[in-house]
Each structure stands twice: as C-alpha cells, then as structure tokens.
C-alpha cells in the first residue's frame, strides 16, 4: 500500500497516507558532527577538552548525562593549509617536480594549461592520524622506521612472536615512530580462561582461535537431576534418612543419562547468509555454532563481552543501552516516520515496517496515528507497541498459539500458513518488532515460551525444552528412558500431525516408517524428536522471526544475556503484588496441616519480601515458567490444562538441598530446611543458576 511509496520519499507523504517515510537530516555545510564520549570524573554542567581536527575544543556535559555516555558535537569543517609554488623551467603539464616543505621533499604535479614560471596552489597529502586505541580484538604495536626505508616501502619485523611486513606511511622518514595493529593471538591456556558462563545445564560460550565464541558443554555444570545426590547435611534439611532416600533418584538419573544425556545433546538455531540477502536457518549441534565477538560501529570485543556477561541483570541492561545508543543512527542524520490508521494498525504496520530497508531499522522511529493530534514524545510509541502486540500475538490471528503447558505463554503455530497466507511476512514483522523494542527500551505485551527466547539468542535447546511446549509429549518421551525394553511399544521413527482436522504422518528421519525404536536407537529417536518438534515443524516461521530480530540487534551484543534475562528486557519486570501472591497460594505435602503457619513457609515469604523486583521475577519464572502475571492477579493463574492452578508450596522430605519446580502445576517443592539462612542461600542459588540449573521438572 502506501508504505511502499512512502518509504522511498522524504516529504513525509500525505497526512492521510499510511506508511513508513524516510525523513532526511539537516547537515550544515560549514560544520561537521563528531561523537564524543564523556570522560571519567566529569559531572553534568562541567566542561572537558576534546581534540577536533587537530584543534582543542571545550565541551559542556549536558544535564542528565554521565561518564561513558556519547555526545554529538558540532565543529567547523577542517580547512587544509594551502601552499603556492612556481613551476620550474622545463616542466610540462602532467609532469612532477620536487618541492622542499617542512624539511620534507614533496612531489607536485603540474596542472594542465600551466607553463613554467606560473604559480600553482597545492596542499599536503593528509596522513591519517594513528588510532588512539586498537580495533576490537587487535593489539597495537609501535616501531621505529629503519634507515634506508622510503615512504610506501614495506619492511619486515618481529611482533608478537611472528614475522610481519609493515609499509612505511607517506611523509614518514627513517628514525620516526609509527603504529600498526595485529589481530590478537592467544595460547590455548589463555583461551580456556575466556568464557561466557550462564550456569544453564552446563552450557557456556568459550573463545576459539578464530576469536569467536563457541558453545562448550561443561560436564556436571548444572544438571538438576545430578544435584539431588548432594549430602543432606550440607543442605541444612531436617531428615536423618535423607541420603538414603535420595540414592534411588540418583541411580535412575544415571540410568537415563546412559541412554540419553538430557543436557549434553543440544542444538542451536544458526542463521547463515546465502546468495544475495537471503538467509538459511540451520539447526546444528550446539558445539558447531560460532558467535562473533565484535560489532561494527562499536569498540566491543571478547574481553568486554566476558566482563559484562558476569554482571548482574541491571548492569547488563545499562551496558546494552549504551551499545544500542552507539548503533543508533543520530536524529540529525535522518529518521523514519511511521503513519498508521488505528483501525488498521496491524495491516498498516506490516506494510510500513516491511518496506523499511534493514539499514534503516536502527534509525529513530516517530509514530503517528492518522487523523489524531499528538506529538510523539514517547507516549505514542508505547501505545503503538501495545496495540500492535495485542493483535500480532493474539492466537485468533493464527501466528501464535497458547502453550499447552502455560496459557500465559505463546508458541509458534505450526499451522499458521493455513490460517494466514501472508504468515511469513508477519513473522518477519514480529522479529523486527522484538528487535526494535529491545533496542529502544519498549515493552512487548506478550510472553513467549522459553525455547523461542533461546532460539532468538542461538542458545542451546534440549529435550527438556519440550516440556514448555507440550508436557504430555515430553513425559511420554521421558518414560522411554525408564523402560527395560522399548521395543514392546512398537514405535517407529514417525509422528502424527493434525492439520486442522487432517492427520498426516511425518517421518522423523528418511525411511522412518520402516525403523522400529529399540533400546539401541532410543537415543537417536529422542534426538530426532528434539530436532523435529523444536525446529523442523516451525522452520519457515522461525527463520523469518529470527531474521527480523537479527536485522536490528547483533548476536554478539545479546550474547551477554541468558534467555530469562531476554524475557525480562522485552516484557519488563512484572508488577508483583506480594499480598495477592501470598493470599492466593495453596499448601500441600508437609505444609498441608500448618499451611502459612509452618516455619519453613513463614521463612519463604520473609525471604520473598526481602527480594528485589528482579529476583521476584526470577522466582516466578522458576515456579511457573514465565515472569508474566495474569491481569486479574494470582487468583487466575493457569496450569497446563488451561484450568485455574494456583501457586502451590509443597513440603517434601525427599527433596534435598535445592527447591524443585513443577511449572506445569505452578508448584514449588521445598526441602524442610533447619534455618532461614540455609534456605535463603539455597533458594537464591537456584534462582541465580536459572530454572534449568536445579531440580526443574
């Protein structure tokens, strides 16, 4: 519609025409704009010195800005110094002749139409100033130019234990110092120390010789089942027979692991560029995926990413805001104006956003509802995200459907193509909106299932992630690991799919209909289910969603986040009413009789009352699978069957060390701790290490 025409113009279009319109900046002919980072120790209102075009300027720190923020300063354009020289006799147009200037010999070319004896004007060739700091993942070296080396001539030297060739810059003489950069090369011992740790089922990113991060599985680095064998005496739980009670569970876990390691068998979604501007989504083993450690337009490198990944959630978000600011196109260099009709917000927004070139997605957007007065100072943008999200993620529209486990969360509808013929364009729109919301600090009014956040981050997904999408399928697959003889079920390598009433049999592997599941190949069967159910059945939709997201947000920047932190950034920290939560909590097991009066229960609510908003959100994620709170409060919290399933605290003598969550039932199983201190320590550890780190079912 109008978006296609509007996106190419700069006038803003007719006031009644919906679309996305490029609005040009207003550069001044006599000035240049420069980015300046506010140095340490400078407060708002103070001035600091900067060097622009070789001249010193004083810049005032604006109110509301702080150390590390970037400013745009305007300065007169540089006017290179000009020199006048007389053309010597015997020189014809096009020939060069030497001129001594500042103790340097300069070769000047005689212009056309100029004869000997006439004067010509020239200027010195500009020598690029050496960078004050090396490029990301590079190291700076300084060397003295050897005797006999002329400008433009290469010479050899040893740097960083390797032989390199360096070219002498123009106008540099022997004896002068020059700087050059080389890519950083680290020894294997150094590489092992550079890690992005998430404490999520043992997976972490490690730096490789290619200076990219690679997924590595750390055996014993966080399996929930493996933690249950810890000694009860270390946990502060009050059950003398705890160690004996835990051993059968540990033995069962080892038996399962021997058949299929639930954590080590993991896959990632990797978006790979193909011909032209096309992309292919490959679902590869986690260890095959590589993440860049630099971002064009920023100074980000592997060292900074490693430092930020170890920070708390609040510090990470502050850092990301600064990086997004560095990537965003300044307002003065142009912005995008989006005009939509309120009654057609979904259609108009899709046409407008999809008409925008990828490079313009990082420009500032200004929104206008056609026919309505109002200046977009932030409020109109928030309303646009809310109204668009309400329609885009509405299951009635057909792109997404409620999770079979938690109706607060949405997952991709495998049959979206039947419901909407333009579904892939809308998934691309959804990805762009998620990326733009993350970059601009806007809130998306929809919670996705955990595996989708993992896909957006190229985070490893495992068989455990099926539980967030279909608990019954997950349970049935897990039961296979406990059977003595799987073949008695007469399963083959196929699944049945329901396409709006039409049943279709899909082979998980070529020739799967003729392959029976046995004890020997049950691991392959489970792996094939992970690949199909988490990727293959939604591959076209997932490709467009991730592609749209990555057109706005570089993967390297989001590598500092885990999937739970991404949900919090996109959906915002929930407004949790603690009294509503407590009054709508049920008690079972050892807590049945005493209820809220039980000593451990009282400690629990005291600890929750002392938690920060962020930590309460993580507790909600741990217990229910999402940080979302129903609009009507905890009284209408839903379970996996769609019915009301209130939050439940369950006292269990057989649960050791750490709490165990059942997200399908919104239930938290608590050990019977001896004191509040131990309980608080174990609960915070479980939440810090994430919902998959400890006792997650």
């Amino acid at each position: 519609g109008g978006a296609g025409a509007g996106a190419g113009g700069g006038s803003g279009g007719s006031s009644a025409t919906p679309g996305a319109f490029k609005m040009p900046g207003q550069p001044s002919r006599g000035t240049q704009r420069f980015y300046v980072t506010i140095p340490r120790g400078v407060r708002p209102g103070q001035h600091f010195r900067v060097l622009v075009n070789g001249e010193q300027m004083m810049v005032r720190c604006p109110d509301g800005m702080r150390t590390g923020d970037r400013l745009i300063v305007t300065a007169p354009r540089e006017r290179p110094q000009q020199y006048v020289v007389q053309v010597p006799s015997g020189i014809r147009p096009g020939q060069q002749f030497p001129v001594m200037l500042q103790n340097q010999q300069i070769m000047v070319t005689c212009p056309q139409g100029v004869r000997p004896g006439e004067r010509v004007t020239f200027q010195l060739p500009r020598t690029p100033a050496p960078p004050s700091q090396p490029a990301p993942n590079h190291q700076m070296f300084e060397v003295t130019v050897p005797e006999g080396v002329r400008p433009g001539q290469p010479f050899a030297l040893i740097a960083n234990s390797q032989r390199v060739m360096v070219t002498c810059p123009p106008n540099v003489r022997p004896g002068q110092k020059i700087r050059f950069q080389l890519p950083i090369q680290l020894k294997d011992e150094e590489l092992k120390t550079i890690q992005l740790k998430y404490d999520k089922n043992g997976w972490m990113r490690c730096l490789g010789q290619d200076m990219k991060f690679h997924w590595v599985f750390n055996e014993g680095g966080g399996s929930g089942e493996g933690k249950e064998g810890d000694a009860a005496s270390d946990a502060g739980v009050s059950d003398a027979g705890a160690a004996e009670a835990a051993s059968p569970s540990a033995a069962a876990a080892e038996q399962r692991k021997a058949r299929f390691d639930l954590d080590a068998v993991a896959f990632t979604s990797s978006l790979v560029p193909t011909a032209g501007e096309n992309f292919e989504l490959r679902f590869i083993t986690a260890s095959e995926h590589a993440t860049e450690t630099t971002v064009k337009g920023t100074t980000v490198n592997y060292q900074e990413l490693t430092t930020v990944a170890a920070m708390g959630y609040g510090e990470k978000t502050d850092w990301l805001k600064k990086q997004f600011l560095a990537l965003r196109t300044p307002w003065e260099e142009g912005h995008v104006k989006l005009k939509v009709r309120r009654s057609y917000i979904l259609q108009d927004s899709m046409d407008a956003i999809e008409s925008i070139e990828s490079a313009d997605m990082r420009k500032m957007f200004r929104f206008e509802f056609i026919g309505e007065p109002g200046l977009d100072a932030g409020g109109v943008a928030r309303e646009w995200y809310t109204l668009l999200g309400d329609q885009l993620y509405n299951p009635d529209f057909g792109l997404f459907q409620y999770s079979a486990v938690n109706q607060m969360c949405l997952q991709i509808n495998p049959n979206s193509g039947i419901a909407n013929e333009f579904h892939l364009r809308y998934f691309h729109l959804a990805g762009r909106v998620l990326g733009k919301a993350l970059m601009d600090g806007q809130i998306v009014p929809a919670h996705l299932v955990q595996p989708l956040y993992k896909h957006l981050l190229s985070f490893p997904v495992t068989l455990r992630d099926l539980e967030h999408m279909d608990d019954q399928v997950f349970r049935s697959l897990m039961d296979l690991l406990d059977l003595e003889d799987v073949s008695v079920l007469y399963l083959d390598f196929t699944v049945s799919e329901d396409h709006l009433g039409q049943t279709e049999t899909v082979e998980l592997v070529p020739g799967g209909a003729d392959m029976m599941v046995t004890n020997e190949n049950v691991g392959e069967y489970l792996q094939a289910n992970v690949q199909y159910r988490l990727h293959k059945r939604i591959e076209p939709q997932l490709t467009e969603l991730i592609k749209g997201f990555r057109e706005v947000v570089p993967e390297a920047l989001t590598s500092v986040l885990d999937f739970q932190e991404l949900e919090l950034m996109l959906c915002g920290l929930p407004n949790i009413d603690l009294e509503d939560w407590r009054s709508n909590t049920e008690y079972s097991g050892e807590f049945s009789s005493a209820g809220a009066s039980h000593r451990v229960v009282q400690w629990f609510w005291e600890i929750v009352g002392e938690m920060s908003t962020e930590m309460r959100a993580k507790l909600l994620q741990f217990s229910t699978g999402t940080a979302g709170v129903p609009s009507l409060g905890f009284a209408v919290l839903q379970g996996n069957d769609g019915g009301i399933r209130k939050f439940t605290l369950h006292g269990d003598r057989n649960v050791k060390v750490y709490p165990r969550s059942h997200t399908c039932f919104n239930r938290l199983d608590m050990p019977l701790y001896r004191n509040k201190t131990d309980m608080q320590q174990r609960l915070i550890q479980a939440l810090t290490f994430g919902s998959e780190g400890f006792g997650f079912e």
Side-chain angles (χ1 to χ4, degrees):
S11 65
S14 167
S15 60
T17 303
F21 304 93
K22 284 186 180 181
M23 309 303 290
Q26 299 176 346
S28 172
R29 290 183 180 180
T31 61
Q32 284 180 299
R33 293 185 176 92
F34 299 87
Y35 288 103
V36 174
T37 301
I38 300 175
R40 289 177 179 270
V42 175
R43 298 187 300 272
Q46 289 186 328
H47 287 75
F48 59 96
R49 294 181 177 86
V50 295
L51 197 64
V52 177
N53 288 334
E55 298 182 7
Q56 183 175 277
M57 288 180 55
M58 297 299 293
V59 177
R60 180 183 180 275
C61 178
D63 295 333
M65 305 294 281
R66 56 183 178 178
T67 297
D69 289 346
R70 296 215 310 172
L71 304 176
I72 299 176
V73 298
T74 303
R77 292 185 180 274
E78 180 183 13
R79 296 180 180 178
Q81 188 173 358
Q82 294 185 330
Y83 301 89
V84 179
V85 66
Q86 188 176 32
V87 178
S89 60
I91 299 298
R92 298 187 300 274
Q95 285 187 325
Q96 288 188 325
F97 57 93
V99 175
M100 291 299 297
L101 185 65
Q102 298 177 2
N103 295 323
Q104 298 182 46
Q105 180 175 286
I106 306 296
M107 298 303 294
V108 179
T109 302
C110 179
Q112 296 294 327
V114 176
R115 295 176 296 177
E118 294 182 340
R119 295 177 178 270
V120 296
T121 302
F122 72 96
Q123 60 190 42
L124 292 176
R126 185 172 181 179
T127 303
S132 58
Q133 58 183 359
N137 295 342
H138 282 66
Q139 187 175 359
M140 184 80 74
F141 295 89
E142 188 174 77
V143 64
T144 301
V145 178
E147 291 294 331
V149 175
R150 299 185 300 275
Q153 182 178 351
F155 59 94
L157 55 86
I158 301 297
N160 202 20
S161 302
Q162 56 182 319
R163 186 176 187 271
V164 296
M165 298 296 294
V166 177
T167 301
C168 180
N171 304 325
V172 174
R173 296 174 297 169
Q176 292 183 319
K177 291 184 177 181
I178 60 173
R179 290 181 176 181
F180 65 95
Q181 301 180 33
L182 291 177
I184 293 175
Q185 290 188 340
L186 301 176
K187 299 178 181 178
D188 291 339
E189 295 75 17
E190 296 174 303
L191 290 173
K192 292 178 181 178
T193 64
I194 302 169
Q195 304 168 345
L196 302 186
K197 291 185 177 180
Y198 309 94
D199 295 304
K200 307 293 183 186
N201 272 30
W203 285 97
M204 59 184 178
R205 283 185 168 107
C206 294
L207 192 67
Q209 287 288 1
D210 57 358
M211 303 308 292
K212 297 180 181 180
F213 280 121
H214 300 261
W215 285 111
V216 174
F217 182 68
N218 179 21
E219 192 74 32
S223 170
E225 293 177 309
K227 289 292 180 181
E228 291 187 31
D230 291 350
S233 59
D234 293 334
V237 293
S238 55
D239 186 1
E244 289 79 0
S247 56
S249 174
E254 287 302 318
Q255 179 181 341
R256 284 180 172 181
K257 187 174 180 181
R259 285 189 170 187
F260 185 81
D261 195 324
L262 293 174
D263 300 319
V265 180
F267 301 87
T268 37
S269 295
S270 187
L271 200 62
V272 180
T274 56
E277 296 184 359
N278 297 321
F279 288 84
E280 176 187 355
L281 187 68
R282 296 177 184 172
F283 200 55
I284 57 179
T285 56
S287 57
E288 294 181 79
H289 182 76
T291 302
E292 296 288 344
T293 56
T294 59
V295 179
K296 187 177 180 180
T298 73
T299 59
V300 169
N301 59 18
Y302 72 88
Q303 294 165 315
E304 188 171 5
L305 292 174
T306 304
T307 301
V308 176
M311 294 178 177
Y313 173 74
E315 293 174 298
K316 287 182 183 180
T317 56
D318 288 343
W319 179 83
L320 279 170
K321 288 176 184 177
K322 291 180 181 179
Q323 302 309 316
F324 290 148
L325 180 63
L327 289 178
R328 187 177 294 123
T329 303
W331 175 268
E332 295 81 0
E333 296 180 17
H335 62 280
V336 175
K337 190 170 188 178
L338 262 73
K339 297 183 178 182
V340 298
R341 295 166 294 179
R342 183 180 292 270
S343 56
Y344 297 94
I345 186 171
L346 185 55
Q347 179 65 45
D348 287 355
S349 297
M350 194 269 281
D351 290 339
I353 296 294
E354 289 298 282
S355 73
I356 300 174
E357 297 178 359
S358 298
D360 291 330
M361 284 301 298
R362 293 177 182 172
K363 287 184 176 180
M364 295 184 186
F365 284 11
R366 286 294 179 265
F367 300 88
E368 177 185 327
F369 287 105
I370 294 175
E372 300 180 19
L375 179 65
D376 184 10
V380 180
R382 286 192 295 272
E383 187 177 12
W384 179 82
Y385 277 101
T386 300
L387 295 177
L388 176 63
D390 288 342
Q391 294 192 29
L392 187 61
Y393 298 103
N394 190 331
D396 292 339
F397 187 59
L399 297 185
F400 296 89
Q401 62 186 22
Y402 290 121
S403 163
V405 177
N406 187 337
Q407 303 236 333
M408 280 292 296
C409 297
L410 297 167
Q411 62 190 40
I412 291 175
N413 179 7
N415 296 317
S416 60
I418 300 175
N420 190 318
E421 61 177 319
F422 301 111
H423 68 130
L424 295 183
R425 291 190 68 195
Y426 281 105
F427 274 109
H428 188 255
L429 165 68
R432 281 188 159 191
V433 170
L434 288 174
K436 191 65 177 169
L438 184 66
M439 187 173 194
D440 292 350
Q442 296 288 348
I443 300 300
V444 178
H447 292 265
L448 305 177
V449 291
Q450 201 170 89
L452 282 183
Y453 292 119
K454 288 187 174 184
H455 283 308
L456 291 173
L457 295 176
S458 291
F459 215 91
V461 294
T462 68
L463 180 63
R464 296 181 190 273
D465 288 292
L466 278 179
E467 185 180 20
H468 295 273
M469 303 175 69
D470 195 321
D471 176 61
Q472 292 183 348
V473 170
F474 172 73
R475 295 287 173 185
S476 64
L477 292 176
M478 288 291 291
D479 288 342
L480 298 181
L481 295 176
D482 295 326
L483 289 177
E484 290 186 11
D485 185 3
V486 179
S487 63
V488 299
L489 298 178
Y490 296 99
L491 296 173
D492 56 26
F493 278 68
T494 65
V495 295
S496 296
E497 287 285 4
D498 181 12
H499 298 292
L500 299 184
Q502 298 293 323
T503 302
E504 177 188 359
T505 299
V506 180
E507 291 188 331
L508 296 175
V509 296
D514 300 321
M515 290 179 59
M516 302 304 295
V517 181
T518 65
N519 287 353
E520 287 70 30
N521 64 15
V522 66
E524 298 173 32
Y525 177 72
L526 295 177
Q527 180 173 314
N529 267 276
V530 173
Q531 293 172 309
Y532 175 74
R533 297 181 185 277
L534 291 175
H535 173 252
K536 194 65 179 178
R537 72 196 299 246
I538 55 171
E539 182 179 4
Q541 300 95 321
L542 193 58
T543 300
E544 293 303 316
L545 183 73
I546 297 176
K547 178 183 175 183
F549 185 74
R550 286 288 163 228
E551 285 175 351
V552 186
V553 182
E555 183 183 347
L557 290 185
T558 57
S559 67
V560 302
L561 298 173
D562 63 43
F563 46 88
Q564 292 173 314
E565 291 170 330
L566 178 62
E567 180 188 13
L568 294 181
M569 284 200 71
L570 285 172
C571 301
L573 290 172
N575 182 19
I576 298 176
D577 186 333
L578 189 56
E579 287 305 313
D580 177 50
W581 192 354
R582 184 194 301 220
S583 61
N584 286 288
T585 294
E586 297 178 346
Y587 303 96
S588 61
E590 297 292 329
F591 303 151
S592 296
S593 56
S597 300
H598 195 284
R599 180 182 59 180
V600 174
V601 173
Q602 291 178 337
W603 289 340
F604 174 82
W605 290 117
E606 288 174 8
I607 293 170
V608 176
E610 297 165 2
M611 286 181 176
S612 64
T613 303
E614 174 199 342
M615 196 57 68
R616 289 183 190 176
K618 288 188 175 183
L619 174 61
L620 197 59
Q621 285 178 320
F622 183 85
S623 307
T624 68
T626 177
V629 179
S631 58
L632 298 179
F634 285 91
V636 295
L637 204 61
Q638 291 182 324
N640 63 339
D641 57 358
I644 301 299
R645 182 81 69 168
K646 291 187 177 182
F647 176 74
T648 302
L649 277 178
H650 179 82
D652 194 336
R653 292 182 180 275
N654 292 321
V655 176
K656 313 304 172 196
V657 188
Y658 298 101
R660 175 186 292 277
S661 64
H662 303 261
T663 56
C664 302
F665 315 118
N666 301 325
R667 195 179 92 189
L668 191 62
D669 293 353
M670 297 296 295
L672 302 182
Y673 295 100
R674 292 197 187 103
N675 57 72
K676 179 183 173 182
T677 302
D678 286 335
M679 179 178 177
Q680 185 170 25
Q681 178 184 358
R682 299 302 183 180
L683 181 58
I684 297 300
Q685 284 178 340
L687 301 184
T688 303
F689 291 136
S691 65
E692 294 188 18
F694 294 89
F696 182 79
E697 284 194 352

